[in-house]
Amino acid sequence: MNSRYQLPTPLSGRIDSTSDQEAFRWHQIIKPINLNEPIQFEKTAINICFLGFCSDEGVKRNMGRVGAAKGPASIRKEMANWPANCLPHVQLFDAGDITCDDGNLEEAQEQLAVAVNKIHQAGLFTILLGGGHEIALGHFNGIRESLDEAPAIINFDAHLDLRPVIDKGSSGTMFNQIHRICEDKKEDFNYLCIGAQTYANTQSLFNKANEIGAQYILAKDISTSSYNKIEEQISNYIKDKNQIYLTICSDVLSAAHAPGVSAVQPFGLDPDMVLQLIKSIIHSGKLCSLDIAEVSPRFDADNRTAKLVAVYIYAVINSMIEQKLNQSY
């Protein structure tokens, strides 16, 4: 790794016991990983590695509200005190951060891909913490390199992020860029966007989605009464796919619950409904990697968005345990 890589900083938090594992919290069990060295660890049932992407250069280029570069630290702070109920099924690791503080997003995305590939090759499941949604390009490339094929994408997002690359990529172009990569490599491009807002996407973007075979479920069509139908749509999308890369842009959520995002959404989705859909994706057994993007602490009153995202991560890990245990019966 190069100078963009920062080693993990130990987390701190409440300590109820230093000997009773049943009283431990996440900050007591998360182990550091140095990506400058070979990754070695004793494997357990589920091995998860966090990696931050401290960038909002893509958001800046997309004329959004900057601040997401500090998102990984904010999320980690909220995760630190979660009870370590995942033991003994899960080991948690932290590989630190890839940074972008000089405007060279392309190099940062390349380094992110290298880091993701190395972590996957070692046999760890990655949960990436953003950072702007430009995290998706580097994350996808790293997964694709480790799998030697393009994973299918599910994106919870108010935006399709299929904008054309005029000069440089941004936080609004990634899935257009990924489509080009798949075309160049003659691989299938599979993309489902859940929660797209009609007021946040031009007709040109919907036309682009239709042209390249991208699928989308509009936010206005997602409600309690339509939940079973939405879950069926997602299940139908997943059933013939080998691997699912799940990316969550925090702006898919209602501003009442997630004010600290790069592009606030007054009519965003209900967090609990999004979580139930995420769990259904995990229970498919096909999830290969996950990231959560665009938590922006400077706009995050009472750290509400970071707390919500940290709860999502806690729930994701518990759902992975449930899926693994059910699979073994």
Side-chain angles (χ1 to χ4, degrees):
M1 305 301 294
N2 66 12
S3 60
R4 295 190 181 281
Y5 176 56
Q6 292 184 347
L7 292 170
T9 301
L11 299 180
S12 61
R14 177 172 175 168
I15 296 178
D16 297 324
S17 174
T18 57
S19 57
D20 179 9
Q21 284 198 345
E22 292 188 350
F24 281 7
R25 297 176 183 274
W26 277 18
H27 69 89
Q28 293 174 276
I29 67 168
I30 293 177
K31 303 172 185 176
I33 283 179
N34 184 347
L35 294 182
N36 291 315
E37 300 172 352
I39 299 175
Q40 297 178 336
F41 63 98
E42 293 184 11
K43 294 183 180 180
T44 187
I46 302 171
N47 305 283
I48 295 172
C49 185
F50 300 111
L51 177 67
F53 187 58
C54 300
S55 167
D56 53 18
E57 174 63 24
V59 174
K60 180 180 179 182
R61 294 181 187 181
N62 204 29
M63 295 182 287
R65 307 192 303 175
V66 296
K70 295 183 178 179
S74 182
I75 298 168
R76 283 186 175 103
K77 181 180 178 182
E78 299 302 330
M79 294 193 314
N81 274 322
W82 290 150
N85 299 335
C86 55
L87 298 177
H89 308 287
V90 172
Q91 287 189 110
L92 300 179
F93 300 88
D94 192 341
D97 298 309
I98 303 296
T99 64
C100 179
D101 51 15
D102 61 356
N104 191 342
L105 175 59
E106 289 69 25
E107 184 179 282
Q109 288 170 319
E110 289 173 5
Q111 288 300 310
L112 181 64
V114 171
V116 169
N117 181 33
K118 181 169 185 175
I119 295 168
H120 274 250
Q121 291 290 352
L124 291 150
F125 180 93
T126 44
I127 296 180
L128 270 59
L129 313 174
H133 208 177
E134 61 266 29
I135 193 174
L137 181 60
H139 194 174
F140 173 87
N141 282 332
I143 300 167
R144 197 213 151 274
E145 185 69 22
S146 66
L147 295 177
D148 202 28
E149 68 173 358
I153 302 165
I154 296 180
N155 176 30
F156 283 88
D157 202 332
H159 305 90
L160 294 169
D161 289 338
L162 289 168
R163 293 186 179 186
V165 180
I166 304 300
D167 181 23
K168 295 180 178 180
S170 72
S171 63
T173 64
M174 306 82 59
F175 302 109
N176 190 359
Q177 292 170 281
I178 290 171
H179 172 253
R180 289 186 185 179
I181 291 168
C182 291
E183 271 196 327
D184 290 344
K185 296 184 179 296
K186 295 181 171 52
E187 295 178 351
D188 291 337
F189 173 70
N190 294 294
Y191 175 51
L192 170 62
C193 180
I194 302 170
Q197 298 283 2
T198 55
Y199 61 73
N201 297 275
T202 64
Q203 186 57 49
S204 176
L205 291 172
F206 286 112
N207 293 344
K208 178 67 176 179
N210 296 333
E211 173 194 331
I212 64 177
Q215 300 179 44
Y216 51 86
I217 301 173
L218 298 176
K220 69 181 184 66
D221 296 329
I222 301 174
S223 65
T224 304
S225 61
S226 68
Y227 177 83
N228 290 339
K229 179 183 177 183
I230 302 302
E231 190 175 45
E232 184 179 359
Q233 285 180 262
I234 295 172
S235 178
N236 288 336
Y237 172 80
I238 290 174
K239 66 181 179 183
D240 63 346
K241 310 298 189 298
N242 295 323
Q243 304 276 354
I244 300 295
Y245 156 42
L246 176 59
T247 178
I248 304 164
C249 187
S250 301
D251 72 17
V252 77
L253 301 167
S254 165
H257 304 280
V261 300
S262 300
V264 68
Q265 299 300 324
F267 290 96
L269 300 182
D270 174 75
D272 184 60
M273 183 170 294
V274 170
L275 180 57
Q276 297 313 311
L277 293 173
I278 290 170
K279 287 181 177 180
S280 72
I281 294 167
I282 293 169
H283 290 156
S284 74
K286 296 184 177 183
L287 186 65
C288 66
S289 202
L290 162 73
D291 63 49
I292 302 183
E294 301 205 0
V295 173
S296 193
R298 65 182 291 214
F299 304 109
D300 200 13
D302 296 325
N303 299 324
R304 279 186 288 165
T305 314
K307 282 185 171 72
L308 177 56
V309 165
V311 171
Y312 273 12
I313 293 169
Y314 180 83
V316 161
I317 291 174
N318 284 338
S319 293
M320 290 176 67
I321 294 171
E322 290 172 9
Q323 190 273 325
K324 179 69 79 171
L325 292 177
N326 290 337
Q327 188 182 50
S328 62
Y329 288 122

